[in-house]
Amino acid sequence: MTNSQDLKARHDKVMFPSVANYYQEPIALAKGQGARVTDVDGVTYLDFFGGILTVSVGHNNKRVNERVHAQVDRLSHVSTLYPTLPMVELAEKLLSLVPGKLEKIFFCASGTEADDTAVMLAQAATQKTELIALRHGYHGRSMLAQSTTAHSSYRSVPTQIAGIKHAQTPYCYRCPFGKKPDSCSMECAKDIEDVIQTTTTGQIAGFLAEPIQGVGGFITPPADYFKVAVEIIRKYGGVFIADEVQTGFGRTGGKWWGIEQYGVVPDMMTMAKGIANGYPLSAVVTTIDIANSTAKKGNISTFGGNPVSCAASLGVLEEIEQDKLLENCSARGKELRDGLEGIKRQFPKVVGDVRGMGLMQAMELVVDEQGGDRTHNPAAVMKIFEETKKRKLLIGRGGLKGNVLRISPPLNSTAAEIKEAVGILEQSFAAL
Ligand code: PMP
């Protein structure tokens, strides 16, 4: 019989060292049900990271599984050389859910590919190449994505793709301009104009940004950020690509897309993760004009729009609509947020900031000895990880320095599960 330890040893022997696992003693997972997962040793955990915000409607979801089983028995793959019903149905459905006049869709298989595709389209549509992205942003693992990503720890080689400039990020807790919320006049958004004028030719292809920075530690921009930022981008000829890989599919509560929380309509959106509850699928949606800009070129994704992944995605959308998960996400998100704020009040010297929207909530941990210090505290994050694991709760890590806890349960989590997780977190902080 295999156990977690054996499996980990075999894993490490064959996988690239960059494929690192969580925890001092990693957990080899064998099965899941709803918000819970069970390891190969038979221990069950509450899963509040959901495969990195991906298992949006819970493990072993009945509606998703029924559609997947039926589709596997019918047809698993033909490539994009042929239209299939699940692909067309999903395209129609998704396009009915996105804001503005985003009327065309391209399917691929990962968030990285979707972002790469969107950048290429922005360049083709504008006939410009320079791109603005944000510090602390994350957009994937290709060479282009490593260049748009602004975390040195995710950049493997020094040679980045040219023409990508990173503006200051709307990180209110550590405002790059030293402002407090009451003295903020959106310096971070205005920085984009300075970056364009000083570091580009003055004409840009676009702006790639996450509505809430995921890997960055759920950095949540202020309410007017995107209005100011996107106006500047359009003034210099660029298009706005909202990277909804983490924030899409209801994650932020009450709305389908994170960018809708900011009242801005993007020219393009990329989506992945929560789209199909873990089946590999991603998409770019955009306007007819932008999609037409590559009409004369071939551009194929062999796995794009795979019928099984599309069937799974249709199951996710059905689940969100039938079970009113946008509303559930808001209600459970508020309970989670209230619980985390309570922990911050109890442990003010280590919990510096609580932030996020819906069921995308983070705690930034600090060493605060004098009151008001904000020294990054990745060591406390590691300790909380081990303490929560002991108490059978799985959570995520993030932040430039690994200094942030990321908590993102499935959208159909129950009030009892939220309460249980908050209780475990509270005990874990008490044990620090
Ligand atoms: N964009 C964002 C916002 C992401 O969080 C990620 C993955 N963490 C990606 C893009 C890349 O997605 P993938 O890992 O599926 O390539």
Side-chain angles (χ1 to χ4, degrees):
M1 274 290 281
T2 189
N3 61 32
S4 277
Q5 239 179 343
D6 287 347
L7 205 54
K8 172 65 178 160
R10 285 166 61 193
H11 174 282
D12 288 356
K13 201 159 172 207
V14 292
M15 306 306 263
F16 281 17
S18 60
V19 185
N21 297 127
Y22 271 171
Y23 304 109
Q24 279 161 13
E25 297 283 336
I27 308 165
L29 295 176
K31 58 184 184 181
Q33 183 62 53
R36 295 193 198 257
V37 285
T38 302
D39 69 11
V40 293
D41 308 312
V43 183
T44 295
Y45 299 86
L46 195 51
D47 180 11
F48 266 39
F49 200 37
I52 323 180
L53 296 87
T54 297
V55 183
S56 46
V57 294
H59 296 278
N60 205 6
N61 181 282
K62 191 161 177 285
R63 279 197 185 104
V64 174
N65 283 4
E66 276 171 7
R67 285 187 181 254
V68 166
H69 288 147
Q71 188 58 44
V72 167
D73 288 340
R74 256 196 310 268
L75 183 71
S76 290
H77 177 77
V78 289
S79 86
T80 47
L81 295 176
Y82 306 90
T84 65
L85 186 59
M87 185 189 193
V88 175
E89 255 184 40
L90 179 63
E92 290 167 348
K93 181 71 195 167
L94 281 174
L95 290 172
S96 77
L97 297 174
V98 294
K101 282 187 74 69
L102 306 180
E103 296 173 277
K104 288 281 190 177
I105 191 161
F106 182 88
F107 286 115
C108 31
S110 69
T112 302
E113 277 179 85
D115 283 352
D116 280 14
T117 306
V119 170
M120 175 212 46
L121 270 175
Q123 292 174 330
T126 59
Q127 291 293 297
K128 305 281 183 296
T129 54
E130 287 163 297
L131 191 83
I132 306 296
L134 292 179
R135 297 188 190 184
H136 300 258
Y138 182 88
H139 302 287
R141 52 172 292 276
S142 67
M143 272 310 295
L144 174 60
Q146 287 189 36
S147 308
T148 51
T149 290
H151 285 245
S152 57
S153 55
Y154 288 106
R155 291 180 161 195
S156 316
V157 289
T159 327
Q160 300 299 315
I161 289 178
I164 297 164
K165 310 292 174 183
H166 292 91
Q168 293 286 8
T169 208
Y171 192 173
C172 299
Y173 182 63
R174 295 183 188 279
C175 174
F177 299 91
K179 295 293 176 111
K180 298 265 179 298
D182 54 3
S183 64
C184 163
S185 48
M186 220 53 77
E187 284 82 356
C188 53
K190 292 176 188 159
D191 182 55
I192 292 174
E193 185 150 28
D194 195 55
V195 170
I196 294 172
Q197 288 181 347
T198 59
T199 73
T200 74
T201 57
Q203 291 280 301
I204 56 165
F207 175 43
L208 173 65
E210 301 154 85
I212 294 177
Q213 292 186 313
V215 172
F218 295 174
I219 295 173
T220 308
D224 289 334
Y225 173 77
F226 281 103
K227 284 196 196 102
V228 180
V230 172
E231 198 180 312
I232 296 168
I233 293 298
R234 290 186 175 143
K235 184 168 143 194
Y236 290 90
V239 300
F240 170 40
I241 307 161
D243 179 340
E244 294 273 359
V245 169
Q246 294 209 11
T247 49
F249 300 93
R251 176 55 61 186
T252 58
K255 301 190 187 296
W256 281 94
W257 313 104
I259 199 62
E260 290 179 294
Q261 309 283 6
Y262 290 92
V264 168
V265 177
D267 303 294
M268 263 188 270
M269 281 169 42
T270 58
M271 44 187 86
K273 291 199 193 282
I275 191 172
N277 217 36
Y279 288 86
L281 184 69
S282 64
V284 182
V285 295
T286 191
T287 61
I288 292 173
D289 282 350
I290 292 177
N292 278 346
S293 59
T294 56
K296 294 202 176 79
K297 301 283 177 187
N299 189 2
I300 192 167
S301 167
T302 302
F303 295 123
N306 170 275
V308 180
S309 294
C310 288
S313 183
L314 284 162
V316 168
L317 300 181
E318 189 187 354
E319 184 86 5
I320 293 175
E321 287 186 326
Q322 302 267 312
D323 291 356
K324 302 200 174 2
L325 296 187
L326 300 186
E327 292 83 348
N328 191 62
C329 180
S330 295
R332 303 290 84 76
K334 182 171 182 320
E335 291 161 8
L336 176 60
R337 178 60 170 264
D338 288 349
L340 302 184
E341 299 278 6
I343 294 173
K344 178 173 185 279
R345 281 193 297 277
Q346 271 178 272
F347 304 98
K349 283 181 188 262
V350 66
V351 183
D353 193 28
V354 175
R355 58 177 177 251
M357 287 187 193
L359 285 172
M360 186 174 185
Q361 297 288 338
M363 300 174 104
E364 177 160 342
L365 304 193
V366 294
V367 182
D368 183 356
E369 273 157 10
Q370 338 237 347
D373 301 357
R374 293 182 176 187
T375 309
H376 297 96
N377 196 349
V381 168
M382 297 306 270
K383 284 191 194 138
I384 290 291
F385 255 60
E386 295 304 325
E387 292 296 333
T388 45
K389 179 193 167 201
K390 261 193 240 166
R391 295 171 175 81
K392 314 287 183 286
L393 171 69
L394 307 184
I395 52 176
R397 192 162 57 232
L400 188 64
K401 296 169 196 274
N403 53 322
V404 179
L405 301 175
R406 289 195 282 163
I407 304 162
S408 53
L411 305 182
N412 51 6
S413 305
T414 62
E417 285 160 349
I418 300 288
K419 199 166 164 216
E420 183 182 340
V422 169
I424 293 175
L425 279 162
E426 204 172 342
Q427 290 163 19
S428 302
F429 274 96
L432 266 191

